[in-house]
Amino acid sequence: MSEPTSPVRVAVVQFDPQVGIEKCVGNLRRSLELALEAVKGGANLIVLPELSNTGYFFSNRQDAFAHAEAVPDGPSVQRWIDFAREHNVYLVAGLAERDGMRLFNTGVLVGPDGFIGKYRKAHLWNLEKLWFTPGDLGFPVFDTPIGRIGLLICWDIWFPEVPRILAQQGADIICSLNNWVWTPPPLFDDAGKCMASYLTMTAAHVNNVFIAAASRIGEERGARYLGCSLIAGTNGWPIGAVASADRQEILFADVDLTSSRSAPIWNNLNDLHRDRRADLYDQMLGYTQHPCLPR
Amino acid sequence: MSEPTSPVRVAVVQFDPQVGIEKCVGNLRRSLELALEAVKGGANLIVLPELSNTGYFFSNRQDAFAHAEAVPDGPSVQRWIDFAREHNVYLVAGLAERDGMRLFNTGVLVGPDGFIGKYRKAHLWNLEKLWFTPGDLGFPVFDTPIGRIGLLICWDIWFPEVPRILAQQGADIICSLNNWVWTPPPLFDDAGKCMASYLTMTAAHVNNVFIAAASRIGEERGARYLGCSLIAGTNGWPIGAVASADRQEILFADVDLTSSRSAPIWNNLNDLHRDRRADLYDQMLGYTQHPCLPR
């Protein structure tokens, strides 16, 4: 696989896309304005939130269908491709994907040479289950000139298997596209972080991988989004500040992606990946469902 | 399986056992004094740290061997059994186990009716690899009148597979025995928590399980221990305060163990356990080692 060009300046964009067919053009325009601001800030890799061109809260399947487009031939993906080519950057963005009669909550990765790949959200949150099909592409990692990039989307990170599988495949950085909403209270702790901030930090820490998490703000049809975007280093701690709960922001971090490929400097005897006891984990697959829940 | 008697008052004991054969009797006595204080505080389930009777930092295998005892016939385990019988409580404690020529970093669970079971640490930290054998008992969950109890020891929680496997077997509470030490800096954040605090919180949150984590304080042969014991609720957040980095403390929490058996109240469509995409996780077992590391 190719060696990464490091350091890379990563930017995550936190903003407020709004649902509604008539608003999609504005959402897309706004995402590109903010991506341009990130480019001006020197970013090489820019991460936009989940469903960044459509907003999140569709009213029904028909509504979701009307917001969706083909990948990579749809208009939003084509605009993102043009942008990445024009500015010689990598861009990750979420959208509603239409594939025949099926809809997916999808993230795309595009770069200076065009479309690179897509990921379809495997773990669907709440009403998404009523319109989207669960992702059927596994957890791909894309090899690029700047490093190996994996994608996950929002509720996915509640399943530690996802960042684990991405890291086991050698991902240097995981781009995490989010519309973080309600979790069992409290929503935030005294440090102003939400539980998803900590899920991101600990997933980065135990997998020795960077995670660039772009979340959204604002409200839609009664749902409040939590912001709290962050870029976690391979040690798990945020690089710089964690974003606010309610302001449009762009976070930047200069990361040496190659550092994810070295064993973390714990000591001479431990390595987070090699220490896995895969011999004891077989039973994980034996349980597709909690044994105490109704079947 | 039996239904739990809830609520249960859980206590985690944070103290400073010190290594050295001549100190083992004092460590054990101290552990029992503190356990008695927990009993007087109303505790039904008491968790002591990893290697609570021996201290942690053995100088070599011979030294570790001299500190070890048989389970359950050794003197420390017998004293803990007597204590649990006398006070009608459940007690979890860590010790060095000798089994023939092999040594294990072991946790035992004892109760009013005597010895219940043991867990042998699967993921060994640093120099432990030079004297202990990696655990060979998998990740057992013990059914008791107060609920289903799983054990893990320190470095184990760096492997999200461990709490996942315990929870998938229906553990209501995970007793986490620790001697938390150095992690890649910073050791603590502004909130006074260490990364292990967050590993505990997020493991509880994504698995909808209680985690009672007893850590130790003090210094031994140049190693500084981090304290930060905590009891995490099924929502992941600490119940009450997280312990200090350097003071002897007992934390209490009244927990309704049955609440771990209900699906968390996310919404009508999501359940943390049922939402797992075991169909996509097969590839986890394909990687016993990070593909980028030397083989």
Side-chain angles (χ1 to χ4, degrees):
Chain A
M1 302 189 202
S2 68
E3 287 307 307
T5 307
S6 281
V8 169
R9 180 161 292 179
V10 179
V12 300
V13 173
Q14 172 171 300
F15 75 117
D16 180 17
Q18 283 288 321
V19 77
I21 293 298
E22 74 289 359
K23 295 179 181 159
C24 285
V25 171
N27 291 331
L28 181 63
R29 185 190 311 121
R30 192 81 198 110
S31 79
L32 291 167
E33 287 166 1
L34 291 162
L36 184 61
E37 205 174 312
V39 166
K40 288 177 180 164
N44 311 109
L45 170 60
I46 302 163
V47 185
L48 299 174
E50 178 184 15
L51 294 171
S52 57
N53 61 333
T54 61
Y56 180 80
F57 219 123
F58 306 123
S59 22
N60 52 47
R61 181 172 153 80
Q62 189 173 5
D63 188 34
F65 207 87
H67 281 78
E69 63 182 79
V71 174
D73 296 330
S76 303
V77 183
Q78 287 300 313
R79 281 296 293 118
W80 288 324
I81 289 171
D82 291 344
F83 181 91
R85 277 192 214 276
E86 182 182 347
H87 299 289
N88 194 37
V89 294
Y90 294 83
L91 180 74
V92 175
L95 79 163
E97 178 189 3
R98 174 179 169 180
D99 181 3
M101 282 306 116
R102 298 185 305 168
L103 302 180
F104 296 95
N105 184 334
T106 293
V108 295
L109 169 64
V110 301
D113 297 324
F115 181 75
I116 295 171
K118 68 182 175 187
Y119 163 68
R120 290 168 164 173
K121 187 176 185 178
H123 303 85
L124 297 178
W125 167 257
N126 206 351
L127 301 179
E128 291 174 40
K129 292 190 179 185
L130 306 187
W131 35 82
F132 290 124
T133 297
D136 57 354
L137 300 178
F139 303 99
V141 172
F142 304 103
D143 209 12
T144 79
I146 61 167
R148 289 190 290 267
I149 300 173
L151 273 60
L152 66 77
I153 303 179
C154 206
W155 186 235
D156 282 332
I157 207 167
W158 267 256
F159 302 83
E161 292 87 348
V162 178
R164 184 59 116 196
I165 290 169
L166 292 170
Q168 288 286 110
Q169 294 175 82
D172 297 313
I173 186 165
I174 296 172
C175 297
S176 162
L177 296 75
N178 304 288
N179 283 190
W180 287 330
V181 282
W182 186 91
T183 58
L187 280 184
F188 303 99
D189 66 6
D190 292 341
K193 296 194 186 80
C194 62
M195 188 54 76
S197 316
Y198 296 118
L199 295 176
T200 302
M201 288 164 52
T202 54
H205 177 86
V206 301
N207 291 299
N208 197 51
V209 67
F210 294 99
I211 304 185
S215 177
R216 63 161 291 181
I217 52 169
E219 289 193 19
E220 259 181 6
R221 298 177 177 167
R224 175 191 173 189
Y225 299 99
L226 304 183
C228 287
S229 298
L230 74 156
I231 303 170
T234 59
N235 66 356
W237 298 107
I239 303 173
V242 172
S244 66
D246 51 10
R247 290 191 309 278
Q248 181 174 293
E249 292 185 55
I250 303 177
L251 305 180
F252 293 92
D254 293 317
V255 303
D256 178 359
L257 289 177
T258 58
S259 64
S260 76
R261 301 192 182 187
S262 309
I265 306 164
W266 292 91
N267 54 58
N268 289 331
L269 287 157
N270 286 110
D271 177 283
L272 281 167
H273 286 285
R274 279 186 286 188
D275 280 2
R276 291 183 74 232
R277 292 290 308 275
D279 57 317
L280 296 181
Y281 302 157
D282 291 30
Q283 54 185 299
M284 281 190 83
L285 295 181
Y287 295 96
T288 54
Q289 185 175 317
H290 192 292
C292 308
L293 292 172
R295 282 165 195 277
Chain B
M1 304 189 201
S2 69
E3 286 307 306
T5 307
S6 282
V8 170
R9 182 162 290 180
V10 179
V12 300
V13 173
Q14 171 170 300
F15 76 118
D16 179 18
Q18 282 288 320
V19 78
I21 294 298
E22 74 289 358
K23 294 180 181 159
C24 284
V25 170
N27 291 332
L28 181 62
R29 186 190 311 121
R30 192 83 198 108
S31 79
L32 291 168
E33 287 166 1
L34 291 163
L36 185 60
E37 203 174 313
V39 166
K40 288 176 180 164
N44 312 107
L45 170 61
I46 301 164
V47 186
L48 298 174
E50 178 183 16
L51 294 171
S52 57
N53 61 333
T54 62
Y56 180 79
F57 218 124
F58 307 122
S59 21
N60 52 47
R61 180 172 155 80
Q62 191 173 5
D63 188 34
F65 207 87
H67 282 77
E69 63 181 78
V71 173
D73 296 331
S76 303
V77 183
Q78 287 300 313
R79 281 295 293 117
W80 288 323
I81 288 172
D82 292 344
F83 181 93
R85 276 192 215 277
E86 183 182 347
H87 298 289
N88 194 37
V89 294
Y90 294 83
L91 179 73
V92 176
L95 80 162
E97 177 190 4
R98 176 180 167 178
D99 181 2
M101 283 304 117
R102 298 184 304 168
L103 302 179
F104 295 95
N105 185 335
T106 293
V108 294
L109 169 63
V110 300
D113 296 325
F115 182 75
I116 296 170
K118 69 182 175 187
Y119 164 69
R120 291 168 164 174
K121 187 177 184 178
H123 303 86
L124 297 176
W125 167 256
N126 206 352
L127 302 179
E128 290 174 41
K129 292 189 180 186
L130 305 187
W131 34 82
F132 291 124
T133 297
D136 57 354
L137 300 179
F139 304 99
V141 172
F142 304 103
D143 209 13
T144 80
I146 60 167
R148 288 190 292 266
I149 300 175
L151 273 61
L152 65 80
I153 302 180
C154 207
W155 187 234
D156 281 332
I157 208 168
W158 268 256
F159 302 84
E161 292 87 348
V162 178
R164 184 59 117 195
I165 289 168
L166 291 170
Q168 288 287 111
Q169 294 174 83
D172 297 313
I173 186 165
I174 296 173
C175 298
S176 162
L177 296 74
N178 304 288
N179 281 191
W180 288 331
V181 283
W182 187 91
T183 58
L187 281 184
F188 303 98
D189 66 6
D190 293 341
K193 297 195 185 78
C194 62
M195 188 55 77
S197 316
Y198 295 119
L199 295 175
T200 303
M201 288 164 52
T202 54
H205 176 87
V206 301
N207 290 299
N208 196 51
V209 67
F210 294 99
I211 303 185
S215 178
R216 62 161 292 181
I217 53 171
E219 289 193 19
E220 260 182 5
R221 300 178 176 164
R224 174 192 173 190
Y225 300 98
L226 304 183
C228 287
S229 299
L230 74 156
I231 303 171
T234 58
N235 66 356
W237 297 106
I239 302 173
V242 172
S244 67
D246 51 11
R247 289 192 309 277
Q248 182 175 291
E249 294 186 53
I250 302 177
L251 304 180
F252 293 91
D254 293 317
V255 303
D256 178 359
L257 289 176
T258 57
S259 64
S260 78
R261 301 193 181 186
S262 309
I265 307 165
W266 291 92
N267 53 58
N268 290 331
L269 287 156
N270 286 111
D271 176 285
L272 281 168
H273 287 285
R274 278 187 286 188
D275 279 2
R276 291 183 76 233
R277 291 291 306 276
D279 57 318
L280 296 182
Y281 302 157
D282 291 30
Q283 53 185 301
M284 282 191 81
L285 295 181
Y287 294 96
T288 55
Q289 186 176 317
H290 191 290
C292 309
L293 292 173
R295 281 163 196 277

